Short mmCIF file of all heavy atoms in Angstrom, two decimals:
data_model
loop_
_atom_site.label_atom_id
_atom_site.label_comp_id
_atom_site.label_asym_id
_atom_site.label_seq_id
_atom_site.Cartn_x
_atom_site.Cartn_y
_atom_site.Cartn_z
N MET Y 483 -70.82 27.55 10.16
CA MET Y 483 -71.03 28.95 9.88
C MET Y 483 -69.72 29.72 10.06
O MET Y 483 -69.07 29.62 11.05
CB MET Y 483 -72.09 29.49 10.84
CG MET Y 483 -72.55 30.82 10.47
SD MET Y 483 -74.08 31.10 11.36
CE MET Y 483 -73.94 32.79 11.72
N GLN Y 484 -69.34 30.46 9.00
CA GLN Y 484 -68.09 31.20 9.01
C GLN Y 484 -68.34 32.62 9.51
O GLN Y 484 -69.31 33.27 9.12
CB GLN Y 484 -67.50 31.23 7.60
CG GLN Y 484 -66.09 31.65 7.58
CD GLN Y 484 -65.51 31.44 6.17
OE1 GLN Y 484 -66.23 31.17 5.23
NE2 GLN Y 484 -64.22 31.58 6.07
N LYS Y 485 -67.42 33.10 10.37
CA LYS Y 485 -67.54 34.44 10.89
C LYS Y 485 -67.11 35.48 9.84
O LYS Y 485 -66.12 35.29 9.12
CB LYS Y 485 -66.61 34.62 12.11
CG LYS Y 485 -67.32 34.93 13.35
CD LYS Y 485 -66.31 35.18 14.47
CE LYS Y 485 -67.06 35.50 15.70
NZ LYS Y 485 -66.20 35.79 16.79
N LYS Y 486 -67.81 36.54 9.75
CA LYS Y 486 -67.51 37.63 8.81
C LYS Y 486 -66.50 38.56 9.40
O LYS Y 486 -66.59 38.95 10.56
CB LYS Y 486 -68.82 38.36 8.49
CG LYS Y 486 -68.75 39.31 7.36
CD LYS Y 486 -70.04 40.09 7.35
CE LYS Y 486 -70.55 40.43 6.02
NZ LYS Y 486 -71.76 41.21 6.05
N LYS Y 487 -65.45 38.85 8.64
CA LYS Y 487 -64.40 39.80 9.11
C LYS Y 487 -64.93 41.22 8.97
O LYS Y 487 -65.52 41.58 7.96
CB LYS Y 487 -63.12 39.65 8.32
CG LYS Y 487 -62.42 38.39 8.58
CD LYS Y 487 -61.09 38.38 7.86
CE LYS Y 487 -60.36 37.11 8.15
NZ LYS Y 487 -59.06 37.04 7.45
N GLU Y 488 -64.66 42.00 10.02
CA GLU Y 488 -65.05 43.41 9.98
C GLU Y 488 -63.82 44.28 9.98
O GLU Y 488 -62.85 44.00 10.68
CB GLU Y 488 -65.89 43.74 11.22
CG GLU Y 488 -67.27 43.10 11.19
CD GLU Y 488 -68.10 43.53 12.37
OE1 GLU Y 488 -67.97 44.69 12.79
OE2 GLU Y 488 -68.87 42.70 12.84
N PHE Y 489 -63.84 45.31 9.20
CA PHE Y 489 -62.74 46.25 9.13
C PHE Y 489 -63.19 47.59 9.65
O PHE Y 489 -64.26 48.09 9.25
CB PHE Y 489 -62.20 46.38 7.69
CG PHE Y 489 -61.61 45.14 7.16
CD1 PHE Y 489 -62.35 44.29 6.36
CD2 PHE Y 489 -60.31 44.80 7.48
CE1 PHE Y 489 -61.81 43.14 5.85
CE2 PHE Y 489 -59.75 43.63 7.00
CZ PHE Y 489 -60.49 42.78 6.17
N ILE Y 490 -62.41 48.16 10.51
CA ILE Y 490 -62.73 49.48 11.06
C ILE Y 490 -61.98 50.51 10.25
O ILE Y 490 -60.78 50.48 10.15
CB ILE Y 490 -62.36 49.57 12.55
CG1 ILE Y 490 -63.15 48.52 13.31
CG2 ILE Y 490 -62.60 50.96 13.06
CD1 ILE Y 490 -62.76 48.40 14.76
N VAL Y 491 -62.71 51.44 9.70
CA VAL Y 491 -62.11 52.54 8.94
C VAL Y 491 -62.08 53.76 9.87
O VAL Y 491 -63.09 54.20 10.40
CB VAL Y 491 -62.93 52.88 7.69
CG1 VAL Y 491 -62.29 54.03 6.93
CG2 VAL Y 491 -63.03 51.66 6.82
N SER Y 492 -60.86 54.27 10.08
CA SER Y 492 -60.73 55.45 10.95
C SER Y 492 -60.25 56.66 10.18
O SER Y 492 -59.70 56.52 9.09
CB SER Y 492 -59.75 55.13 12.10
OG SER Y 492 -58.47 54.89 11.58
N ASP Y 493 -60.47 57.79 10.74
CA ASP Y 493 -60.02 59.02 10.12
C ASP Y 493 -58.51 59.09 10.21
O ASP Y 493 -57.90 58.56 11.16
CB ASP Y 493 -60.59 60.24 10.83
CG ASP Y 493 -62.10 60.34 10.64
OD1 ASP Y 493 -62.59 59.89 9.58
OD2 ASP Y 493 -62.80 60.86 11.54
N PRO Y 494 -57.85 59.78 9.24
CA PRO Y 494 -56.38 59.92 9.33
C PRO Y 494 -56.03 60.75 10.56
O PRO Y 494 -56.86 61.51 11.06
CB PRO Y 494 -56.03 60.67 8.06
CG PRO Y 494 -57.29 61.23 7.54
CD PRO Y 494 -58.42 60.44 8.10
N PRO Y 495 -54.82 60.57 11.08
CA PRO Y 495 -54.44 61.31 12.28
C PRO Y 495 -54.54 62.83 12.05
O PRO Y 495 -54.22 63.31 10.97
CB PRO Y 495 -53.01 60.91 12.57
CG PRO Y 495 -52.61 60.01 11.48
CD PRO Y 495 -53.78 59.73 10.60
N LYS Y 496 -54.94 63.53 13.07
CA LYS Y 496 -55.10 65.00 12.93
C LYS Y 496 -53.76 65.65 13.30
O LYS Y 496 -53.01 65.19 14.12
CB LYS Y 496 -56.18 65.48 13.90
CG LYS Y 496 -57.51 64.81 13.67
CD LYS Y 496 -58.61 65.83 13.67
CE LYS Y 496 -59.96 65.17 13.58
NZ LYS Y 496 -60.34 64.64 12.34
N ARG Y 497 -53.49 66.76 12.64
CA ARG Y 497 -52.28 67.54 12.94
C ARG Y 497 -52.50 68.45 14.13
O ARG Y 497 -53.63 68.91 14.32
CB ARG Y 497 -51.92 68.42 11.76
CG ARG Y 497 -51.33 67.70 10.58
CD ARG Y 497 -50.98 68.67 9.51
NE ARG Y 497 -49.71 68.32 8.95
CZ ARG Y 497 -49.06 69.03 8.06
NH1 ARG Y 497 -49.54 70.17 7.63
NH2 ARG Y 497 -47.90 68.63 7.57
N ALA Y 498 -51.47 68.73 14.87
CA ALA Y 498 -51.53 69.75 15.92
C ALA Y 498 -51.80 71.11 15.26
O ALA Y 498 -51.46 71.31 14.09
CB ALA Y 498 -50.24 69.79 16.70
N LEU Y 499 -52.42 72.00 15.96
CA LEU Y 499 -52.76 73.30 15.39
C LEU Y 499 -51.54 74.04 14.84
O LEU Y 499 -51.61 74.68 13.82
CB LEU Y 499 -53.48 74.18 16.42
CG LEU Y 499 -54.88 73.70 16.78
CD1 LEU Y 499 -55.44 74.60 17.90
CD2 LEU Y 499 -55.80 73.69 15.60
N ALA Y 500 -50.41 73.95 15.55
CA ALA Y 500 -49.21 74.66 15.13
C ALA Y 500 -48.48 73.95 13.98
O ALA Y 500 -47.63 74.52 13.33
CB ALA Y 500 -48.25 74.79 16.29
N ASP Y 501 -48.86 72.69 13.73
CA ASP Y 501 -48.22 71.92 12.65
C ASP Y 501 -48.94 72.14 11.33
O ASP Y 501 -49.57 71.24 10.78
CB ASP Y 501 -48.24 70.43 13.01
CG ASP Y 501 -47.38 69.61 12.04
OD1 ASP Y 501 -46.54 70.20 11.36
OD2 ASP Y 501 -47.60 68.39 11.96
N ALA Y 502 -48.86 73.37 10.87
CA ALA Y 502 -49.56 73.72 9.64
C ALA Y 502 -48.52 74.25 8.64
O ALA Y 502 -47.53 74.90 9.01
CB ALA Y 502 -50.57 74.81 9.93
N PRO Y 503 -48.74 73.94 7.36
CA PRO Y 503 -47.87 74.54 6.34
C PRO Y 503 -47.95 76.04 6.39
O PRO Y 503 -49.03 76.61 6.43
CB PRO Y 503 -48.43 73.98 5.02
CG PRO Y 503 -49.25 72.80 5.42
CD PRO Y 503 -49.76 73.10 6.78
N LYS Y 504 -46.81 76.69 6.44
CA LYS Y 504 -46.78 78.17 6.44
C LYS Y 504 -45.35 78.65 6.24
O LYS Y 504 -44.42 77.86 6.20
CB LYS Y 504 -47.35 78.74 7.71
CG LYS Y 504 -46.57 78.48 8.97
CD LYS Y 504 -47.25 79.14 10.15
CE LYS Y 504 -46.45 78.94 11.42
NZ LYS Y 504 -47.10 79.59 12.57
N GLU Y 505 -45.21 79.94 6.08
CA GLU Y 505 -43.90 80.54 5.93
C GLU Y 505 -43.22 80.56 7.29
O GLU Y 505 -43.79 81.01 8.28
CB GLU Y 505 -44.05 81.94 5.38
CG GLU Y 505 -42.72 82.53 4.92
CD GLU Y 505 -42.92 83.86 4.17
OE1 GLU Y 505 -44.05 84.35 4.11
OE2 GLU Y 505 -41.93 84.35 3.65
N ARG Y 506 -41.99 80.05 7.36
CA ARG Y 506 -41.21 80.03 8.61
C ARG Y 506 -39.82 80.61 8.33
O ARG Y 506 -39.43 80.79 7.20
CB ARG Y 506 -41.08 78.58 9.12
CG ARG Y 506 -42.40 77.95 9.40
CD ARG Y 506 -42.18 76.55 10.01
NE ARG Y 506 -43.42 75.80 9.99
CZ ARG Y 506 -44.39 75.90 10.88
NH1 ARG Y 506 -44.28 76.74 11.85
NH2 ARG Y 506 -45.49 75.13 10.77
N PHE Y 507 -39.06 80.81 9.40
CA PHE Y 507 -37.70 81.30 9.28
C PHE Y 507 -36.71 80.17 9.54
O PHE Y 507 -36.87 79.41 10.51
CB PHE Y 507 -37.44 82.44 10.24
CG PHE Y 507 -38.20 83.68 9.88
CD1 PHE Y 507 -39.41 83.98 10.50
CD2 PHE Y 507 -37.74 84.56 8.92
CE1 PHE Y 507 -40.14 85.12 10.15
CE2 PHE Y 507 -38.45 85.67 8.54
CZ PHE Y 507 -39.66 85.97 9.17
N CYS Y 508 -35.70 80.03 8.67
CA CYS Y 508 -34.69 79.03 8.77
C CYS Y 508 -33.89 79.24 10.07
O CYS Y 508 -33.48 80.37 10.35
CB CYS Y 508 -33.77 79.09 7.55
SG CYS Y 508 -32.39 77.93 7.62
N LEU Y 509 -33.65 78.19 10.84
CA LEU Y 509 -32.89 78.31 12.08
C LEU Y 509 -31.38 78.52 11.78
O LEU Y 509 -30.66 78.93 12.70
CB LEU Y 509 -33.07 77.04 12.92
CG LEU Y 509 -34.47 76.83 13.44
CD1 LEU Y 509 -34.54 75.50 14.20
CD2 LEU Y 509 -34.95 77.95 14.33
N ARG Y 510 -30.95 78.28 10.59
CA ARG Y 510 -29.53 78.41 10.26
C ARG Y 510 -29.22 79.79 9.68
O ARG Y 510 -28.36 80.49 10.15
CB ARG Y 510 -29.13 77.28 9.29
CG ARG Y 510 -27.63 77.24 9.05
CD ARG Y 510 -27.27 75.97 8.31
NE ARG Y 510 -25.89 75.88 8.13
CZ ARG Y 510 -25.22 76.34 7.06
NH1 ARG Y 510 -25.91 76.89 6.08
NH2 ARG Y 510 -23.94 76.19 6.93
N CYS Y 511 -29.96 80.19 8.62
CA CYS Y 511 -29.64 81.45 7.93
C CYS Y 511 -30.65 82.54 8.18
O CYS Y 511 -30.45 83.66 7.73
CB CYS Y 511 -29.52 81.20 6.43
SG CYS Y 511 -31.07 80.82 5.62
N LYS Y 512 -31.73 82.25 8.88
CA LYS Y 512 -32.78 83.23 9.24
C LYS Y 512 -33.63 83.73 8.07
O LYS Y 512 -34.44 84.61 8.23
CB LYS Y 512 -32.19 84.43 9.98
CG LYS Y 512 -31.30 84.09 11.14
CD LYS Y 512 -32.05 83.39 12.23
CE LYS Y 512 -31.16 83.23 13.45
NZ LYS Y 512 -31.09 81.89 13.94
N SER Y 513 -33.46 83.16 6.88
CA SER Y 513 -34.30 83.57 5.74
C SER Y 513 -35.68 82.91 5.83
O SER Y 513 -35.81 81.84 6.45
CB SER Y 513 -33.63 83.25 4.40
OG SER Y 513 -33.55 81.86 4.23
N SER Y 514 -36.66 83.50 5.22
CA SER Y 514 -37.99 82.90 5.27
C SER Y 514 -38.10 81.89 4.14
O SER Y 514 -37.50 82.02 3.09
CB SER Y 514 -39.06 83.97 5.15
OG SER Y 514 -39.00 84.62 3.92
N PHE Y 515 -38.87 80.82 4.40
CA PHE Y 515 -39.10 79.76 3.40
C PHE Y 515 -40.44 79.13 3.68
O PHE Y 515 -40.99 79.23 4.79
CB PHE Y 515 -37.97 78.73 3.39
CG PHE Y 515 -37.95 77.85 4.60
CD1 PHE Y 515 -38.44 76.55 4.52
CD2 PHE Y 515 -37.46 78.29 5.83
CE1 PHE Y 515 -38.43 75.71 5.63
CE2 PHE Y 515 -37.45 77.46 6.95
CZ PHE Y 515 -37.94 76.17 6.83
N TRP Y 516 -40.99 78.41 2.73
CA TRP Y 516 -42.25 77.70 2.89
C TRP Y 516 -41.98 76.35 3.55
O TRP Y 516 -41.21 75.55 3.08
CB TRP Y 516 -42.96 77.49 1.55
CG TRP Y 516 -44.30 76.89 1.73
CD1 TRP Y 516 -44.65 75.60 1.47
CD2 TRP Y 516 -45.48 77.53 2.23
NE1 TRP Y 516 -45.96 75.38 1.78
CE2 TRP Y 516 -46.49 76.57 2.27
CE3 TRP Y 516 -45.75 78.81 2.70
CZ2 TRP Y 516 -47.79 76.84 2.71
CZ3 TRP Y 516 -47.05 79.08 3.13
CH2 TRP Y 516 -48.01 78.11 3.13
N SER Y 517 -42.63 76.12 4.69
CA SER Y 517 -42.45 74.89 5.45
C SER Y 517 -43.75 74.10 5.48
O SER Y 517 -44.81 74.65 5.60
CB SER Y 517 -42.06 75.28 6.89
OG SER Y 517 -42.14 74.19 7.75
N GLU Y 518 -43.63 72.77 5.34
CA GLU Y 518 -44.83 71.92 5.36
C GLU Y 518 -45.32 71.62 6.77
O GLU Y 518 -46.38 71.06 6.94
CB GLU Y 518 -44.56 70.62 4.61
CG GLU Y 518 -44.39 70.79 3.12
CD GLU Y 518 -45.65 71.38 2.46
OE1 GLU Y 518 -46.77 70.99 2.81
OE2 GLU Y 518 -45.46 72.27 1.61
N GLY Y 519 -44.55 71.96 7.81
CA GLY Y 519 -44.95 71.73 9.17
C GLY Y 519 -43.88 72.13 10.13
O GLY Y 519 -42.77 72.47 9.73
N PHE Y 520 -44.18 72.08 11.44
CA PHE Y 520 -43.23 72.60 12.39
C PHE Y 520 -41.96 71.75 12.54
O PHE Y 520 -40.96 72.18 13.10
CB PHE Y 520 -43.84 72.87 13.75
CG PHE Y 520 -44.52 71.71 14.44
CD1 PHE Y 520 -43.84 70.56 14.75
CD2 PHE Y 520 -45.84 71.81 14.81
CE1 PHE Y 520 -44.46 69.52 15.40
CE2 PHE Y 520 -46.47 70.78 15.46
CZ PHE Y 520 -45.78 69.63 15.76
N GLY Y 521 -41.93 70.57 11.95
CA GLY Y 521 -40.71 69.75 11.96
C GLY Y 521 -39.70 70.17 10.92
O GLY Y 521 -38.57 69.70 10.95
N GLU Y 522 -40.09 71.03 10.02
CA GLU Y 522 -39.20 71.48 8.95
C GLU Y 522 -38.77 72.93 9.28
O GLU Y 522 -39.51 73.85 9.07
CB GLU Y 522 -39.93 71.44 7.61
CG GLU Y 522 -39.08 71.78 6.45
CD GLU Y 522 -39.84 71.68 5.15
OE1 GLU Y 522 -41.06 71.60 5.14
OE2 GLU Y 522 -39.17 71.72 4.11
N ARG Y 523 -37.55 73.07 9.82
CA ARG Y 523 -37.09 74.38 10.25
C ARG Y 523 -35.79 74.84 9.57
O ARG Y 523 -35.28 75.88 9.87
CB ARG Y 523 -36.87 74.39 11.76
CG ARG Y 523 -38.16 74.26 12.54
CD ARG Y 523 -39.10 75.41 12.19
NE ARG Y 523 -40.33 75.35 12.91
CZ ARG Y 523 -40.72 76.24 13.79
NH1 ARG Y 523 -39.96 77.26 14.07
NH2 ARG Y 523 -41.89 76.12 14.39
N ILE Y 524 -35.27 74.00 8.65
CA ILE Y 524 -34.06 74.37 7.90
C ILE Y 524 -34.47 74.48 6.41
O ILE Y 524 -35.07 73.55 5.89
CB ILE Y 524 -32.94 73.33 8.08
CG1 ILE Y 524 -32.64 73.09 9.56
CG2 ILE Y 524 -31.68 73.74 7.30
CD1 ILE Y 524 -32.08 74.29 10.30
N CYS Y 525 -34.13 75.58 5.78
CA CYS Y 525 -34.52 75.80 4.39
C CYS Y 525 -33.73 74.88 3.45
O CYS Y 525 -32.69 74.34 3.83
CB CYS Y 525 -34.32 77.25 3.99
SG CYS Y 525 -32.60 77.78 3.84
N SER Y 526 -34.27 74.68 2.27
CA SER Y 526 -33.63 73.78 1.31
C SER Y 526 -32.27 74.28 0.89
O SER Y 526 -31.35 73.51 0.55
CB SER Y 526 -34.54 73.55 0.10
OG SER Y 526 -34.82 74.78 -0.53
N ARG Y 527 -32.07 75.59 0.83
CA ARG Y 527 -30.77 76.15 0.45
C ARG Y 527 -29.69 75.74 1.48
O ARG Y 527 -28.59 75.32 1.10
CB ARG Y 527 -30.84 77.67 0.35
CG ARG Y 527 -29.65 78.24 -0.36
CD ARG Y 527 -29.76 79.75 -0.48
NE ARG Y 527 -28.95 80.33 0.56
CZ ARG Y 527 -29.17 81.47 1.18
NH1 ARG Y 527 -30.22 82.18 0.84
NH2 ARG Y 527 -28.38 81.90 2.09
N CYS Y 528 -30.03 75.82 2.77
CA CYS Y 528 -29.07 75.41 3.80
C CYS Y 528 -28.85 73.90 3.82
O CYS Y 528 -27.74 73.42 4.03
CB CYS Y 528 -29.56 75.87 5.17
SG CYS Y 528 -29.39 77.63 5.41
N LYS Y 529 -29.93 73.13 3.53
CA LYS Y 529 -29.79 71.68 3.49
C LYS Y 529 -28.93 71.22 2.33
O LYS Y 529 -28.36 70.13 2.35
CB LYS Y 529 -31.17 71.02 3.38
CG LYS Y 529 -31.94 71.05 4.69
CD LYS Y 529 -33.25 70.37 4.52
CE LYS Y 529 -34.05 70.38 5.77
NZ LYS Y 529 -35.37 69.73 5.60
N ALA Y 530 -28.77 72.05 1.28
CA ALA Y 530 -28.00 71.70 0.11
C ALA Y 530 -26.50 71.96 0.31
O ALA Y 530 -25.69 71.52 -0.50
CB ALA Y 530 -28.47 72.49 -1.10
N THR Y 531 -26.13 72.63 1.39
CA THR Y 531 -24.69 72.95 1.61
C THR Y 531 -23.94 71.69 1.97
O THR Y 531 -24.48 70.76 2.61
CB THR Y 531 -24.52 73.99 2.72
OG1 THR Y 531 -25.00 73.44 3.96
CG2 THR Y 531 -25.21 75.28 2.39
N SER Y 532 -22.67 71.66 1.66
CA SER Y 532 -21.83 70.49 2.01
C SER Y 532 -21.66 70.36 3.50
O SER Y 532 -21.59 69.25 4.02
CB SER Y 532 -20.50 70.56 1.30
OG SER Y 532 -19.82 71.74 1.69
N ALA Y 533 -21.65 71.46 4.22
CA ALA Y 533 -21.53 71.43 5.69
C ALA Y 533 -22.72 70.73 6.29
O ALA Y 533 -22.58 69.90 7.23
CB ALA Y 533 -21.39 72.81 6.25
N TRP Y 534 -23.94 71.00 5.80
CA TRP Y 534 -25.13 70.37 6.33
C TRP Y 534 -25.13 68.86 5.99
O TRP Y 534 -25.43 68.04 6.84
CB TRP Y 534 -26.38 71.04 5.75
CG TRP Y 534 -27.64 70.41 6.20
CD1 TRP Y 534 -28.38 69.45 5.59
CD2 TRP Y 534 -28.33 70.66 7.45
NE1 TRP Y 534 -29.49 69.12 6.32
CE2 TRP Y 534 -29.47 69.83 7.46
CE3 TRP Y 534 -28.10 71.51 8.51
CZ2 TRP Y 534 -30.35 69.83 8.53
CZ3 TRP Y 534 -29.00 71.51 9.57
CH2 TRP Y 534 -30.11 70.68 9.57
N ARG Y 535 -24.82 68.52 4.74
CA ARG Y 535 -24.84 67.12 4.33
C ARG Y 535 -23.76 66.32 5.01
O ARG Y 535 -23.93 65.15 5.24
CB ARG Y 535 -24.68 67.04 2.82
CG ARG Y 535 -25.91 67.55 2.04
CD ARG Y 535 -25.85 67.18 0.58
NE ARG Y 535 -24.57 67.38 -0.03
CZ ARG Y 535 -24.22 68.46 -0.73
NH1 ARG Y 535 -25.07 69.45 -0.91
NH2 ARG Y 535 -23.04 68.56 -1.27
N ALA Y 536 -22.64 66.93 5.36
CA ALA Y 536 -21.53 66.22 6.00
C ALA Y 536 -21.67 66.11 7.52
O ALA Y 536 -20.91 65.40 8.15
CB ALA Y 536 -20.21 66.88 5.64
N ALA Y 537 -22.63 66.79 8.10
CA ALA Y 537 -22.77 66.84 9.56
C ALA Y 537 -23.05 65.44 10.13
O ALA Y 537 -22.49 65.07 11.15
CB ALA Y 537 -23.85 67.80 9.97
N VAL Y 538 -23.90 64.66 9.50
CA VAL Y 538 -24.22 63.28 9.95
C VAL Y 538 -24.15 62.40 8.74
O VAL Y 538 -24.87 62.60 7.76
CB VAL Y 538 -25.63 63.22 10.58
CG1 VAL Y 538 -25.96 61.81 10.97
CG2 VAL Y 538 -25.74 64.17 11.77
N PRO Y 539 -23.30 61.39 8.76
CA PRO Y 539 -23.21 60.47 7.63
C PRO Y 539 -24.55 59.79 7.36
O PRO Y 539 -25.29 59.51 8.29
CB PRO Y 539 -22.17 59.45 8.05
CG PRO Y 539 -21.44 60.07 9.20
CD PRO Y 539 -22.38 61.06 9.82
N GLU Y 540 -24.86 59.56 6.10
CA GLU Y 540 -26.11 58.93 5.74
C GLU Y 540 -26.21 57.55 6.38
O GLU Y 540 -25.26 56.80 6.43
CB GLU Y 540 -26.20 58.76 4.21
CG GLU Y 540 -26.71 60.01 3.52
CD GLU Y 540 -26.95 59.74 2.06
OE1 GLU Y 540 -27.65 58.76 1.74
OE2 GLU Y 540 -26.48 60.53 1.26
N GLY Y 541 -27.40 57.22 6.85
CA GLY Y 541 -27.63 55.90 7.45
C GLY Y 541 -27.19 55.75 8.88
O GLY Y 541 -27.45 54.75 9.50
N VAL Y 542 -26.56 56.75 9.45
CA VAL Y 542 -26.06 56.68 10.82
C VAL Y 542 -26.99 57.55 11.69
O VAL Y 542 -27.15 58.73 11.44
CB VAL Y 542 -24.61 57.19 10.96
CG1 VAL Y 542 -24.20 57.20 12.41
CG2 VAL Y 542 -23.71 56.34 10.14
N SER Y 543 -27.62 56.93 12.69
CA SER Y 543 -28.51 57.67 13.56
C SER Y 543 -28.60 56.95 14.88
O SER Y 543 -28.57 55.74 14.95
CB SER Y 543 -29.88 57.78 12.90
OG SER Y 543 -30.79 58.39 13.80
N GLN Y 544 -28.76 57.71 15.93
CA GLN Y 544 -28.99 57.15 17.25
C GLN Y 544 -30.31 57.61 17.80
O GLN Y 544 -30.55 57.57 18.98
CB GLN Y 544 -27.87 57.56 18.20
CG GLN Y 544 -26.53 56.99 17.82
CD GLN Y 544 -26.50 55.47 17.86
OE1 GLN Y 544 -27.02 54.85 18.75
NE2 GLN Y 544 -25.93 54.88 16.83
N GLY Y 545 -31.20 58.04 16.91
CA GLY Y 545 -32.51 58.50 17.30
C GLY Y 545 -33.41 57.41 17.80
O GLY Y 545 -33.10 56.22 17.72
N ARG Y 546 -34.57 57.77 18.31
CA ARG Y 546 -35.51 56.80 18.86
C ARG Y 546 -36.03 55.87 17.79
O ARG Y 546 -36.30 54.70 18.08
CB ARG Y 546 -36.68 57.53 19.51
CG ARG Y 546 -36.25 58.28 20.75
CD ARG Y 546 -37.42 58.78 21.50
NE ARG Y 546 -38.15 59.77 20.71
CZ ARG Y 546 -39.29 60.29 21.10
NH1 ARG Y 546 -39.84 59.95 22.21
NH2 ARG Y 546 -39.88 61.19 20.35
N ARG Y 547 -36.23 56.33 16.59
CA ARG Y 547 -36.82 55.49 15.58
C ARG Y 547 -35.86 54.51 14.95
O ARG Y 547 -36.26 53.59 14.28
CB ARG Y 547 -37.41 56.37 14.46
CG ARG Y 547 -38.57 57.19 15.00
CD ARG Y 547 -39.13 58.00 13.91
NE ARG Y 547 -40.12 58.90 14.49
CZ ARG Y 547 -41.00 59.55 13.81
NH1 ARG Y 547 -41.02 59.45 12.52
NH2 ARG Y 547 -41.86 60.33 14.37
N SER Y 548 -34.56 54.72 15.13
CA SER Y 548 -33.60 53.83 14.47
C SER Y 548 -33.27 52.61 15.29
O SER Y 548 -32.59 51.68 14.83
CB SER Y 548 -32.31 54.59 14.20
OG SER Y 548 -31.64 54.87 15.44
N GLY Y 549 -33.75 52.54 16.53
CA GLY Y 549 -33.44 51.37 17.37
C GLY Y 549 -32.03 51.42 17.91
O GLY Y 549 -31.41 50.40 18.09
N GLY Y 550 -31.46 52.60 18.12
CA GLY Y 550 -30.12 52.76 18.58
C GLY Y 550 -29.85 52.20 19.97
O GLY Y 550 -28.80 51.71 20.29
N ARG Y 551 -30.87 52.23 20.82
CA ARG Y 551 -30.74 51.65 22.17
C ARG Y 551 -31.35 50.25 22.21
O ARG Y 551 -32.23 49.90 21.46
CB ARG Y 551 -31.50 52.49 23.18
CG ARG Y 551 -30.87 53.84 23.42
CD ARG Y 551 -31.63 54.49 24.50
NE ARG Y 551 -30.98 55.74 24.88
CZ ARG Y 551 -31.50 56.61 25.70
NH1 ARG Y 551 -32.70 56.40 26.20
NH2 ARG Y 551 -30.87 57.69 26.02
N SER Y 552 -30.81 49.45 23.15
CA SER Y 552 -31.42 48.12 23.29
C SER Y 552 -32.12 47.99 24.60
O SER Y 552 -31.98 48.68 25.48
CB SER Y 552 -30.38 47.02 23.20
OG SER Y 552 -29.08 47.40 23.11
#
């Protein structure tokens, strides 16, 4: 007799109440822009500047998700 595999279907993760799409103010230029969540605090105009793009080279990160520490 073969055991039947069961799959558990769960609801997608819920967002924090403050993590809602809304109009926010850019931390760099202070202009208002539409943000998809509280993690997006720099407007696209500021992100398009050469100073913003040159601040951290692409692919270089020491954040928690990149595995920078051993």
Side-chain angles (χ1 to χ4, degrees):
M483 190 163 145
Q484 195 172 10
K485 242 185 180 181
K486 191 187 216 182
K487 289 185 179 179
E488 291 184 34
F489 295 98
I490 298 173
V491 178
S492 63
D493 293 330
K496 304 225 186 288
R497 286 182 138 186
L499 291 176
D501 189 19
K504 66 179 183 179
E505 192 171 6
R506 300 183 194 280
F507 291 97
C508 176
L509 295 177
R510 188 169 183 268
C511 70
K512 309 295 187 233
S513 66
S514 64
F515 71 102
W516 185 254
S517 167
E518 291 300 319
F520 58 58
E522 185 178 13
R523 292 302 180 114
I524 306 295
C525 70
S526 59
R527 193 177 102 211
C528 288
K529 285 181 181 178
T531 63
S532 59
W534 178 265
R535 290 192 316 264
V538 177
E540 276 188 50
V542 176
S543 174
Q544 294 299 316
R546 292 190 295 175
R547 296 181 187 195
S548 68
R551 290 185 174 172
S552 6

